[in-house]
């Protein structure tokens, strides 16, 4: 979620039976009346995840305000939220092939996307992908640290790095 001038924008990760094009989802923001918010805030559902997709399990924001999300099984997506205040603006969702999937933790920092992967895609560990042009064109994933084991418990590991401590 993010707050922009008193507007709370929330991603509704609710199942939807709509059939979507495999490369792109486009949706209009909808009121999210089921949210309990403080006075002065409103919530919008930017996109509903189609049933055909597996769960979207982690997210991070890039410098352009787009949302990068990891799908539990089939890869990554980039969400470009609808422009606030433009009634006909739509939210765009595109698949992006970064060479990793099933990331239970994502972080965008200092022109890099970091992902903690607990599956075999490609192998469990902490990955770094450099943003080549600062606009979302990422380099191939680089395994920074392998994490022994497989599946979800691996990705809930506490990592101690030389300069600081990071918890996913």
């Amino acid at each position: 979620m993010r707050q922009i001038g008193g507007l709370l924008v929330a991603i509704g990760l609710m199942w939807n039976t709509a059939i979507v094009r495999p490369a792109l989802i486009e949706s209009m923001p909808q009121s999210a009346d089921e949210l309990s918010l403080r006075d002065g805030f409103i919530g919008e559902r930017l996109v509903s995840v189609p049933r055909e997709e597996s769960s979207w399990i982690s997210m991070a924001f890039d410098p352009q305000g787009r949302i990068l999300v990891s799908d539990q099984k089939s890869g990554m997506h980039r969400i470009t939220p609808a422009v606030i205040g433009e009634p006909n603006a739509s939210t765009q969702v595109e698949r992006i092939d970064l060479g990793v999937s099933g990331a239970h933790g994502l972080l965008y920092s200092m022109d890099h996307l970091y992902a903690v992967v607990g599956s075999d895609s490609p192998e469990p560990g902490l990955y770094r992908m450099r943003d080549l042009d600062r606009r979302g064109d990422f380099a191939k994933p680089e395994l920074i640290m392998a994490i022994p084991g497989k599946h979800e418990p691996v990705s809930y590991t506490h990592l101690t790095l030389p300069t600081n401590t990071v918890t996913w």
Side-chain angles (χ1 to χ4, degrees):
M1 290 189 274
R2 64 182 174 150
Q3 179 183 341
I4 302 174
L7 173 70
L8 180 67
V9 180
I11 300 175
L13 300 179
M14 300 180 67
W15 295 112
N16 183 340
T17 57
I19 302 297
V20 297
R21 297 176 292 191
L24 179 69
I25 300 170
E26 187 173 342
S27 69
M28 301 297 286
Q30 302 170 4
S31 176
D33 296 329
E34 66 275 13
L35 297 176
S36 297
L37 304 171
R38 291 181 178 226
D39 290 341
F41 289 89
I42 60 170
E44 292 181 334
R45 179 179 300 118
L46 299 178
V47 64
S48 293
V49 180
R51 284 194 187 275
E52 295 78 31
E53 294 286 331
S54 60
S55 298
W56 291 3
I57 55 177
S58 62
M59 68 178 168
F61 287 88
D62 70 10
Q64 291 78 28
R66 299 173 300 189
I67 307 161
L68 303 169
V69 296
S70 179
D71 183 307
Q72 191 167 9
K73 295 178 184 171
S74 64
M76 305 279 272
H77 299 79
R78 181 174 17 238
I79 302 169
T80 304
V83 177
I84 295 172
E86 290 190 20
N88 295 324
S90 63
T91 295
Q92 305 285 320
V93 179
E94 60 183 306
R95 289 187 194 274
I96 53 176
D97 182 12
L98 298 181
V100 297
S101 64
H104 280 258
L106 290 175
L107 170 71
Y108 190 101
S109 178
M110 298 179 284
D111 300 327
H112 289 82
L113 178 65
Y114 295 87
V116 176
V117 176
S119 66
D120 293 330
S121 185
E123 69 178 90
L126 173 61
Y127 289 85
R128 174 175 57 202
M129 292 145 284
R130 187 166 57 94
D131 191 340
L132 299 170
D133 59 2
R134 295 185 174 177
R135 292 191 312 252
D137 183 20
F138 292 98
K140 288 185 177 184
E142 170 191 3
L143 179 64
I144 296 175
M145 184 172 69
I147 301 175
K150 290 187 179 182
H151 307 297
E152 284 187 28
V154 169
S155 57
Y156 301 128
T157 303
H158 179 266
L159 305 172
T160 303
L161 303 175
T163 56
N164 57 11
T165 301
V166 180
T167 304
W168 275 275

